Amino acid sequence: RERWISWPTGSDGRRHCNVAPTGGGEGDIGGSIEHFAAFVIETHYRKGFNTGLRFLWKGRTFNITSVEVEDERRRIVVLNATEVAA
């Protein structure tokens, strides 16, 4: 499915991408049970993607957990991300 994602302040705005859920789970984080959802995002390559960034999708905030460049030409980047909800 094609979607738009937005990057928070200090980034270059909206990006067209494919967003797909890959699973989820729960765990004990900081003494409380936290639920998380995992997603894979495919988008056009841009310099500067890293695990310190977040993105917004449908009013939800996601943390990037890994960045993978799909080809040597740097046309596509795959971002693995999680949304954590208490």
Side-chain angles (χ1 to χ4, degrees):
R1 297 181 196 157
E2 295 186 294
R3 307 273 191 233
W4 287 97
I5 56 177
S6 298
W7 301 98
T9 305
S11 65
D12 64 355
R14 290 170 30 119
R15 270 200 174 306
H16 200 242
C17 65
N18 293 323
V19 178
T22 59
E26 63 184 28
D28 184 5
I29 301 173
S32 65
I33 299 294
E34 299 279 335
H35 302 276
F36 67 91
F39 289 80
V40 171
I41 300 92
E42 265 187 27
T43 190
H44 293 284
Y45 179 83
R46 139 179 121 85
K47 184 178 176 184
F49 280 122
N50 62 60
T51 57
L53 290 176
R54 292 179 169 188
F55 68 90
L56 304 173
W57 178 59
K58 294 186 172 185
R60 299 155 59 185
T61 302
F62 294 83
N63 298 317
I64 296 174
T65 57
S66 70
V67 178
E68 302 168 17
V69 178
E70 281 291 292
D71 59 16
E72 292 178 18
R73 292 177 151 176
R74 295 185 175 195
R75 289 182 290 185
I76 301 294
V77 64
V78 175
L79 309 172
N80 291 293
T82 58
E83 176 191 34
V84 178

Coordinates of all heavy atoms in Angstrom, one line a residue:
R1 N 0.8 -1.2 0.0 CA 0.0 0.0 0.0 C 0.9 1.2 0.0 O 1.8 1.3 0.7 CB -0.9 0.0 1.2 CG -1.8 -1.1 1.4 CD -2.6 -0.9 2.6 NE -3.2 -2.1 2.9 CZ -3.6 -2.5 4.1 NH1 -3.4 -1.7 5.1 NH2 -4.2 -3.6 4.4
E2 N 0.5 2.2 -0.8 CA 1.2 3.4 -0.8 C 0.7 4.4 0.2 O -0.5 4.5 0.4 CB 1.3 4.0 -2.2 CG 2.0 3.1 -3.1 CD 2.1 3.7 -4.5 OE1 1.0 3.9 -5.1 OE2 3.2 4.0 -4.9
R3 N 1.6 5.1 0.9 CA 1.2 6.1 1.9 C 2.1 7.3 1.9 O 3.2 7.2 1.3 CB 1.3 5.4 3.3 CG 0.6 4.1 3.5 CD -0.8 4.3 3.9 NE -1.4 3.1 4.3 CZ -2.5 2.6 3.8 NH1 -3.2 3.3 2.9 NH2 -3.0 1.5 4.2
W4 N 1.7 8.3 2.6 CA 2.6 9.4 2.9 C 3.0 9.4 4.3 O 2.2 9.1 5.2 CB 1.8 10.7 2.6 CG 1.5 11.0 1.2 CD1 0.4 10.8 0.5 CD2 2.4 11.6 0.3 NE1 0.5 11.2 -0.8 CE2 1.8 11.7 -0.9 CE3 3.7 12.1 0.4 CZ2 2.3 12.3 -2.1 CZ3 4.3 12.7 -0.7 CH2 3.6 12.7 -2.0
I5 N 4.3 9.7 4.6 CA 4.7 9.8 5.9 C 5.3 11.2 6.0 O 5.8 11.8 5.1 CB 5.8 8.8 6.3 CG1 7.0 8.7 5.4 CG2 5.1 7.4 6.4 CD1 8.0 7.7 5.8
S6 N 5.3 11.8 7.2 CA 5.9 13.1 7.5 C 7.0 13.0 8.5 O 7.0 12.2 9.4 CB 4.8 14.0 8.1 OG 3.7 14.2 7.2
W7 N 8.0 13.8 8.2 CA 9.2 13.8 9.1 C 9.0 15.0 10.1 O 8.6 16.1 9.6 CB 10.5 13.9 8.3 CG 10.6 12.7 7.4 CD1 10.2 12.7 6.1 CD2 10.9 11.4 7.8 NE1 10.4 11.4 5.6 CE2 10.8 10.6 6.6 CE3 11.3 10.8 9.0 CZ2 11.1 9.3 6.6 CZ3 11.6 9.5 8.9 CH2 11.5 8.7 7.8
P8 N 9.3 14.8 11.3 CA 9.2 15.9 12.3 C 10.1 17.1 12.0 O 10.9 17.1 11.1 CB 9.6 15.3 13.6 CG 9.4 13.8 13.4 CD 9.7 13.6 12.0
T9 N 9.9 18.2 12.7 CA 10.7 19.4 12.6 C 12.2 19.2 12.3 O 12.8 18.3 12.9 CB 10.5 20.3 13.8 OG1 9.1 20.5 14.0 CG2 11.2 21.7 13.6
G10 N 12.7 19.9 11.4 CA 14.1 19.8 11.1 C 14.4 18.8 9.9 O 15.6 18.6 9.6
S11 N 13.4 18.3 9.3 CA 13.6 17.4 8.2 C 13.0 18.0 6.9 O 12.6 19.1 6.9 CB 12.9 16.1 8.5 OG 11.5 16.3 8.6
D12 N 12.9 17.2 5.9 CA 12.5 17.7 4.6 C 11.0 17.4 4.3 O 10.6 17.3 3.1 CB 13.4 17.2 3.5 CG 13.3 15.7 3.3 OD1 12.7 15.0 4.1 OD2 13.9 15.2 2.3
G13 N 10.2 17.3 5.3 CA 8.7 17.2 5.1 C 8.2 15.9 4.7 O 8.6 14.9 5.2
R14 N 7.1 15.8 3.8 CA 6.4 14.6 3.5 C 7.2 13.8 2.5 O 7.9 14.3 1.6 CB 5.0 14.9 3.0 CG 4.1 15.5 4.0 CD 2.9 16.1 3.5 NE 2.4 15.5 2.3 CZ 1.2 14.9 2.1 NH1 0.4 14.8 3.2 NH2 0.8 14.4 1.0
R15 N 7.0 12.4 2.6 CA 7.6 11.5 1.6 C 6.6 10.4 1.3 O 5.8 10.0 2.1 CB 8.7 10.8 2.3 CG 10.0 11.5 2.1 CD 11.1 10.5 2.4 NE 12.4 11.0 2.1 CZ 12.8 11.6 0.9 NH1 12.0 11.7 0.0 NH2 14.0 12.0 0.8
H16 N 6.6 10.1 0.0 CA 5.7 9.0 -0.5 C 6.4 7.7 -0.2 O 7.6 7.6 -0.4 CB 5.6 9.1 -2.0 CG 4.4 8.4 -2.5 ND1 4.5 7.4 -3.4 CD2 3.1 8.5 -2.3 CE1 3.3 6.9 -3.7 NE2 2.4 7.6 -3.0
C17 N 5.7 6.7 0.3 CA 6.3 5.4 0.7 C 5.3 4.3 0.7 O 4.1 4.5 0.6 CB 7.0 5.6 2.1 SG 5.7 5.9 3.3
N18 N 5.9 3.1 1.0 CA 5.1 1.9 1.2 C 5.3 1.5 2.7 O 6.4 1.4 3.2 CB 5.5 0.7 0.4 CG 5.3 1.0 -1.1 OD1 4.2 1.5 -1.5 ND2 6.2 0.5 -2.0
V19 N 4.2 1.4 3.4 CA 4.2 1.0 4.8 C 3.5 -0.3 5.0 O 2.4 -0.5 4.6 CB 3.5 2.1 5.7 CG1 3.5 1.7 7.2 CG2 4.1 3.4 5.5
A20 N 4.2 -1.3 5.7 CA 3.6 -2.6 5.9 C 3.9 -3.1 7.3 O 5.0 -3.0 7.8 CB 4.2 -3.6 4.9
P21 N 2.9 -3.5 8.0 CA 3.1 -4.0 9.4 C 3.8 -5.4 9.3 O 3.6 -6.2 8.4 CB 1.7 -4.2 9.9 CG 0.8 -4.2 8.7 CD 1.5 -3.5 7.6
T22 N 4.7 -5.6 10.3 CA 5.4 -6.9 10.3 C 5.2 -7.7 11.5 O 5.7 -8.8 11.7 CB 6.9 -6.7 10.1 OG1 7.4 -5.8 11.1 CG2 7.2 -6.0 8.7
G23 N 4.5 -7.1 12.5 CA 4.2 -7.9 13.7 C 4.2 -6.9 14.9 O 3.9 -5.7 14.8
G24 N 4.4 -7.5 16.1 CA 4.4 -6.7 17.3 C 4.6 -7.6 18.5 O 4.9 -8.8 18.4
G25 N 4.4 -7.0 19.6 CA 4.5 -7.8 20.9 C 4.4 -6.9 22.1 O 4.0 -5.8 22.0
E26 N 4.9 -7.4 23.2 CA 4.9 -6.6 24.4 C 6.1 -7.1 25.2 O 6.7 -8.2 25.1 CB 3.6 -6.8 25.2 CG 3.4 -8.2 25.7 CD 2.0 -8.4 26.4 OE1 1.1 -7.6 26.1 OE2 1.9 -9.2 27.2
G27 N 6.6 -6.2 26.1 CA 7.7 -6.5 27.0 C 7.7 -5.6 28.2 O 7.0 -4.6 28.2
D28 N 8.5 -5.9 29.1 CA 8.7 -5.1 30.3 C 9.8 -4.1 30.1 O 11.0 -4.4 30.0 CB 9.1 -6.1 31.5 CG 9.2 -5.3 32.8 OD1 8.9 -4.1 32.9 OD2 9.6 -6.0 33.8
I29 N 9.4 -2.8 30.0 CA 10.3 -1.7 29.7 C 10.2 -0.7 30.8 O 9.1 -0.1 31.0 CB 10.0 -1.1 28.3 CG1 10.1 -2.1 27.2 CG2 10.9 0.1 28.1 CD1 9.7 -1.6 25.9
G30 N 11.2 -0.6 31.6 CA 11.2 0.4 32.7 C 10.2 0.0 33.8 O 9.6 0.9 34.4
G31 N 9.9 -1.2 34.0 CA 9.0 -1.6 35.1 C 7.6 -1.6 34.7 O 6.7 -1.9 35.6
S32 N 7.2 -1.4 33.5 CA 5.8 -1.5 33.1 C 5.7 -2.2 31.8 O 6.7 -2.3 31.0 CB 5.2 -0.1 32.9 OG 5.9 0.6 31.8
I33 N 4.6 -2.8 31.5 CA 4.4 -3.6 30.3 C 4.1 -2.6 29.2 O 3.2 -1.7 29.2 CB 3.2 -4.5 30.4 CG1 3.4 -5.5 31.5 CG2 2.9 -5.2 29.1 CD1 4.6 -6.5 31.3
E34 N 4.9 -2.7 28.1 CA 4.8 -1.8 26.9 C 4.4 -2.7 25.7 O 4.9 -3.8 25.5 CB 6.1 -1.1 26.6 CG 6.6 -0.2 27.7 CD 5.9 1.1 27.7 OE1 5.4 1.5 26.6 OE2 5.8 1.7 28.8
H35 N 3.5 -2.2 24.9 CA 3.1 -2.9 23.7 C 3.7 -2.2 22.5 O 3.9 -1.0 22.5 CB 1.5 -2.9 23.5 CG 0.8 -3.5 24.7 ND1 0.6 -4.8 24.7 CD2 0.3 -2.9 25.8 CE1 0.0 -5.1 25.9 NE2 -0.2 -4.0 26.5
F36 N 4.2 -2.9 21.5 CA 4.8 -2.3 20.3 C 4.3 -3.0 19.1 O 3.9 -4.1 19.0 CB 6.3 -2.3 20.4 CG 6.9 -3.7 20.3 CD1 7.2 -4.2 19.0 CD2 7.1 -4.5 21.4 CE1 7.8 -5.5 18.9 CE2 7.6 -5.7 21.3 CZ 8.0 -6.3 20.1
A37 N 4.3 -2.2 18.0 CA 4.0 -2.6 16.7 C 5.2 -2.4 15.8 O 5.8 -1.3 15.8 CB 2.7 -1.9 16.1
A38 N 5.5 -3.4 14.9 CA 6.7 -3.3 14.1 C 6.2 -3.1 12.6 O 5.2 -3.6 12.2 CB 7.5 -4.5 14.1
F39 N 6.9 -2.2 11.9 CA 6.6 -1.9 10.5 C 7.8 -1.8 9.7 O 8.9 -1.6 10.2 CB 5.9 -0.5 10.5 CG 4.5 -0.5 11.0 CD1 4.3 -0.4 12.4 CD2 3.4 -0.5 10.2 CE1 3.1 -0.4 12.9 CE2 2.2 -0.5 10.7 CZ 2.0 -0.4 12.1
V40 N 7.7 -2.1 8.4 CA 8.7 -1.8 7.4 C 8.2 -0.7 6.4 O 7.1 -0.8 6.0 CB 9.0 -3.1 6.6 CG1 9.9 -2.8 5.4 CG2 9.6 -4.2 7.4
I41 N 9.1 0.2 6.2 CA 8.8 1.3 5.3 C 9.8 1.4 4.2 O 11.0 1.4 4.4 CB 8.9 2.7 6.1 CG1 7.9 2.7 7.3 CG2 8.6 3.9 5.2 CD1 8.5 2.2 8.5
E42 N 9.3 1.4 2.9 CA 10.1 1.5 1.7 C 9.9 2.9 1.2 O 8.7 3.3 0.9 CB 9.7 0.5 0.7 CG 10.5 -0.7 0.7 CD 10.2 -1.6 -0.5 OE1 9.8 -1.1 -1.6 OE2 10.4 -2.8 -0.3
T43 N 11.0 3.6 0.9 CA 10.8 5.0 0.3 C 12.1 5.3 -0.5 O 13.0 4.5 -0.5 CB 10.6 6.0 1.4 OG1 10.3 7.3 0.9 CG2 11.8 6.2 2.3
H44 N 12.0 6.4 -1.2 CA 13.2 6.8 -2.0 C 14.3 7.2 -1.1 O 14.1 7.8 0.0 CB 12.8 7.9 -2.9 CG 11.8 7.5 -4.0 ND1 12.2 6.8 -5.1 CD2 10.5 7.7 -4.1 CE1 11.2 6.5 -5.8 NE2 10.1 7.1 -5.3
Y45 N 15.5 6.9 -1.5 CA 16.7 7.2 -0.7 C 16.9 8.6 -0.5 O 16.6 9.5 -1.3 CB 17.9 6.6 -1.4 CG 19.2 6.9 -0.7 CD1 19.6 6.1 0.4 CD2 20.0 8.0 -1.0 CE1 20.8 6.4 1.1 CE2 21.1 8.3 -0.3 CZ 21.5 7.5 0.7 OH 22.7 7.8 1.4
R46 N 17.3 9.0 0.7 CA 17.7 10.3 1.0 C 18.8 10.2 2.0 O 18.8 9.4 2.9 CB 16.5 11.1 1.6 CG 16.8 12.0 2.8 CD 15.6 12.7 3.3 NE 15.3 12.4 4.7 CZ 15.8 13.0 5.7 NH1 16.7 13.9 5.6 NH2 15.5 12.7 7.0
K47 N 19.8 11.1 1.9 CA 21.0 11.1 2.8 C 20.5 11.5 4.2 O 19.7 12.4 4.3 CB 22.0 12.0 2.3 CG 23.3 12.1 3.1 CD 24.3 13.0 2.5 CE 25.5 13.1 3.4 NZ 26.4 14.1 2.9
G48 N 21.0 10.8 5.2 CA 20.7 11.2 6.5 C 19.7 10.4 7.3 O 19.4 10.6 8.5
F49 N 19.1 9.3 6.7 CA 18.2 8.4 7.4 C 19.1 7.7 8.5 O 20.2 7.2 8.2 CB 17.6 7.4 6.5 CG 16.4 7.8 5.7 CD1 16.5 7.7 4.4 CD2 15.3 8.3 6.4 CE1 15.4 8.1 3.6 CE2 14.2 8.7 5.6 CZ 14.3 8.6 4.3
N50 N 18.6 7.7 9.7 CA 19.4 7.0 10.8 C 18.4 6.6 11.9 O 17.2 7.0 11.9 CB 20.5 7.9 11.3 CG 20.0 9.1 11.9 OD1 19.3 9.1 12.9 ND2 20.5 10.3 11.4
T51 N 18.9 5.8 12.9 CA 18.0 5.3 13.9 C 17.7 6.4 15.0 O 16.9 6.1 15.9 CB 18.7 4.1 14.6 OG1 20.0 4.5 15.1 CG2 18.8 2.9 13.7
G52 N 18.2 7.6 14.8 CA 17.8 8.7 15.7 C 16.6 9.4 15.2 O 16.1 10.3 16.0
L53 N 16.1 9.1 14.0 CA 14.9 9.8 13.5 C 13.6 9.1 13.9 O 13.6 7.9 14.1 CB 15.0 9.9 12.0 CG 16.1 10.7 11.4 CD1 16.1 10.6 9.8 CD2 15.9 12.2 11.7
R54 N 12.6 9.9 13.8 CA 11.2 9.4 13.9 C 10.4 9.8 12.7 O 10.8 10.8 12.0 CB 10.6 10.0 15.2 CG 11.2 9.5 16.5 CD 10.5 10.2 17.6 NE 10.9 9.5 18.8 CZ 10.3 9.8 20.0 NH1 9.4 10.6 20.1 NH2 10.8 9.2 21.1
F55 N 9.3 9.2 12.5 CA 8.4 9.7 11.4 C 7.0 9.6 11.9 O 6.7 8.9 12.9 CB 8.6 8.9 10.1 CG 8.2 7.5 10.1 CD1 6.9 7.1 9.8 CD2 9.1 6.5 10.5 CE1 6.5 5.8 9.9 CE2 8.7 5.1 10.5 CZ 7.4 4.8 10.2
L56 N 6.1 10.3 11.3 CA 4.7 10.4 11.6 C 3.9 9.7 10.5 O 4.1 10.0 9.3 CB 4.3 11.8 11.8 CG 5.1 12.6 12.8 CD1 4.6 14.1 12.7 CD2 4.9 12.1 14.2
W57 N 2.9 8.9 10.9 CA 2.1 8.3 9.9 C 0.7 8.1 10.5 O 0.6 7.5 11.6 CB 2.6 6.9 9.5 CG 1.8 6.1 8.6 CD1 1.4 6.5 7.3 CD2 1.3 4.8 8.8 NE1 0.7 5.5 6.7 CE2 0.6 4.4 7.6 CE3 1.4 3.9 9.8 CZ2 0.0 3.2 7.5 CZ3 0.7 2.7 9.7 CH2 0.0 2.3 8.5
K58 N -0.3 8.7 9.9 CA -1.7 8.6 10.4 C -1.8 9.1 11.8 O -2.5 8.4 12.7 CB -2.3 7.2 10.2 CG -2.4 6.8 8.8 CD -3.1 5.4 8.7 CE -3.5 5.1 7.3 NZ -4.2 3.9 7.2
G59 N -1.1 10.1 12.2 CA -1.1 10.6 13.6 C -0.4 9.8 14.6 O -0.4 10.1 15.8
R60 N 0.4 8.8 14.2 CA 1.2 8.0 15.1 C 2.7 8.3 14.9 O 3.1 8.5 13.8 CB 0.8 6.5 14.8 CG -0.6 6.2 15.1 CD -1.1 5.0 14.3 NE -0.5 3.8 14.6 CZ -0.7 2.7 13.9 NH1 -1.6 2.6 13.0 NH2 -0.1 1.6 14.2
T61 N 3.4 8.2 15.9 CA 4.9 8.4 15.9 C 5.6 7.1 16.0 O 5.3 6.2 16.8 CB 5.3 9.3 17.0 OG1 4.6 10.5 17.0 CG2 6.8 9.6 16.9
F62 N 6.6 6.9 15.1 CA 7.4 5.7 15.0 C 8.9 6.0 15.1 O 9.4 7.0 14.7 CB 7.2 5.0 13.6 CG 5.8 4.5 13.5 CD1 4.8 5.4 13.0 CD2 5.5 3.2 13.7 CE1 3.5 4.9 12.9 CE2 4.2 2.7 13.6 CZ 3.2 3.6 13.2
N63 N 9.6 5.1 15.8 CA 11.1 5.2 16.0 C 11.7 4.3 14.9 O 11.3 3.1 14.8 CB 11.5 4.7 17.3 CG 10.9 5.6 18.4 OD1 10.9 6.8 18.3 ND2 10.4 4.9 19.5
I64 N 12.7 4.8 14.2 CA 13.4 3.9 13.2 C 14.4 3.1 14.0 O 15.2 3.6 14.8 CB 14.1 4.8 12.2 CG1 13.1 5.6 11.4 CG2 15.0 4.0 11.3 CD1 13.7 6.6 10.4
T65 N 14.3 1.8 13.7 CA 15.2 0.8 14.4 C 16.4 0.3 13.6 O 17.4 -0.1 14.1 CB 14.4 -0.4 15.0 OG1 13.8 -1.0 13.9 CG2 13.4 0.0 16.0
S66 N 16.2 0.4 12.2 CA 17.3 0.1 11.3 C 17.1 0.7 10.0 O 15.9 0.9 9.6 CB 17.6 -1.4 11.2 OG 16.5 -2.0 10.5
V67 N 18.2 0.9 9.2 CA 18.1 1.5 7.9 C 18.9 0.6 7.0 O 20.0 0.3 7.2 CB 18.7 2.9 7.9 CG1 18.7 3.5 6.5 CG2 18.0 3.8 8.9
E68 N 18.3 0.2 5.9 CA 18.9 -0.7 4.9 C 18.8 -0.1 3.5 O 17.7 0.2 3.1 CB 18.2 -2.1 4.9 CG 18.2 -2.8 6.2 CD 17.3 -4.0 6.3 OE1 16.9 -4.5 5.2 OE2 17.0 -4.4 7.4
V69 N 19.9 0.1 2.8 CA 19.9 0.6 1.5 C 19.8 -0.6 0.5 O 20.5 -1.5 0.6 CB 21.2 1.4 1.1 CG1 21.1 1.9 -0.3 CG2 21.3 2.6 2.1
E70 N 18.7 -0.6 -0.3 CA 18.4 -1.7 -1.1 C 19.3 -2.0 -2.3 O 19.4 -3.1 -2.7 CB 16.9 -1.6 -1.6 CG 15.9 -1.9 -0.6 CD 15.9 -3.4 -0.3 OE1 15.5 -4.2 -1.1 OE2 16.2 -3.7 0.8
D71 N 19.9 -1.0 -2.9 CA 20.7 -1.2 -4.1 C 21.9 -0.2 -4.1 O 21.9 0.7 -3.3 CB 19.9 -1.1 -5.4 CG 19.2 0.3 -5.5 OD1 19.6 1.2 -4.8 OD2 18.3 0.4 -6.3
E72 N 22.9 -0.5 -4.9 CA 24.1 0.3 -4.9 C 23.8 1.6 -5.5 O 24.6 2.6 -5.2 CB 25.1 -0.5 -5.8 CG 25.6 -1.7 -5.1 CD 26.7 -2.5 -6.0 OE1 27.2 -1.8 -6.9 OE2 26.9 -3.7 -5.7
R73 N 22.8 1.8 -6.2 CA 22.5 3.1 -6.8 C 21.8 4.0 -5.8 O 21.5 5.2 -6.1 CB 21.6 3.0 -8.0 CG 22.3 2.3 -9.2 CD 21.3 2.1 -10.3 NE 21.9 2.2 -11.6 CZ 21.3 2.0 -12.7 NH1 20.0 1.8 -12.7 NH2 22.0 2.0 -13.8
R74 N 21.5 3.5 -4.7 CA 20.8 4.3 -3.6 C 19.5 4.9 -4.0 O 19.2 6.1 -3.8 CB 21.8 5.3 -3.0 CG 23.0 4.8 -2.4 CD 23.8 5.8 -1.8 NE 24.9 5.2 -1.1 CZ 25.6 5.8 -0.2 NH1 25.4 7.1 0.1 NH2 26.6 5.2 0.4
R75 N 18.7 4.1 -4.7 CA 17.4 4.6 -5.1 C 16.3 4.3 -4.0 O 15.4 5.1 -3.8 CB 17.0 4.0 -6.4 CG 17.8 4.5 -7.6 CD 17.3 3.9 -8.8 NE 17.7 2.5 -8.8 CZ 17.5 1.7 -9.8 NH1 16.9 2.1 -10.9 NH2 17.8 0.4 -9.8
I76 N 16.4 3.2 -3.4 CA 15.4 2.7 -2.4 C 16.0 2.5 -1.0 O 17.1 1.9 -1.0 CB 14.7 1.4 -2.8 CG1 14.0 1.6 -4.2 CG2 13.7 0.9 -1.8 CD1 12.8 2.6 -4.2
V77 N 15.4 2.9 0.0 CA 15.8 2.6 1.4 C 14.7 1.9 2.1 O 13.5 2.2 1.9 CB 16.3 3.9 2.1 CG1 15.1 4.9 2.3 CG2 16.9 3.6 3.4
V78 N 15.0 1.0 2.9 CA 14.1 0.2 3.7 C 14.3 0.6 5.2 O 15.5 0.4 5.7 CB 14.2 -1.3 3.5 CG1 13.2 -2.0 4.5 CG2 13.9 -1.7 2.1
L79 N 13.3 1.1 5.8 CA 13.4 1.5 7.3 C 12.6 0.5 8.1 O 11.4 0.2 7.8 CB 12.8 2.9 7.5 CG 13.4 3.9 6.5 CD1 12.6 5.2 6.7 CD2 14.8 4.2 6.8
N80 N 13.2 -0.1 9.1 CA 12.4 -0.9 10.1 C 12.1 0.0 11.2 O 13.0 0.8 11.7 CB 13.3 -2.1 10.5 CG 13.4 -3.1 9.4 OD1 12.5 -3.7 9.0 ND2 14.6 -3.2 8.9
A81 N 10.9 0.0 11.7 CA 10.5 0.9 12.8 C 9.5 0.3 13.7 O 8.8 -0.7 13.4 CB 9.8 2.1 12.1
T82 N 9.4 0.9 14.9 CA 8.4 0.4 15.9 C 7.6 1.6 16.5 O 8.1 2.7 16.5 CB 9.1 -0.3 17.1 OG1 10.0 0.5 17.7 CG2 9.8 -1.6 16.6
E83 N 6.4 1.3 16.8 CA 5.6 2.2 17.5 C 5.4 1.7 18.9 O 5.0 0.5 19.0 CB 4.2 2.4 16.8 CG 3.3 3.3 17.6 CD 1.9 3.3 17.1 OE1 1.4 2.2 16.6 OE2 1.2 4.3 17.1
V84 N 5.7 2.4 19.9 CA 5.5 1.9 21.3 C 4.3 2.6 21.9 O 4.2 3.8 21.9 CB 6.8 2.2 22.1 CG1 6.5 1.7 23.6 CG2 8.0 1.5 21.5
A85 N 3.4 1.8 22.4 CA 2.2 2.4 23.1 C 2.1 1.8 24.5 O 2.2 0.6 24.6 CB 0.9 2.1 22.3
A86 N 1.9 2.6 25.5 CA 1.9 2.1 26.9 C 0.5 1.5 27.1 O -0.5 1.8 26.5 CB 2.1 3.3 27.9

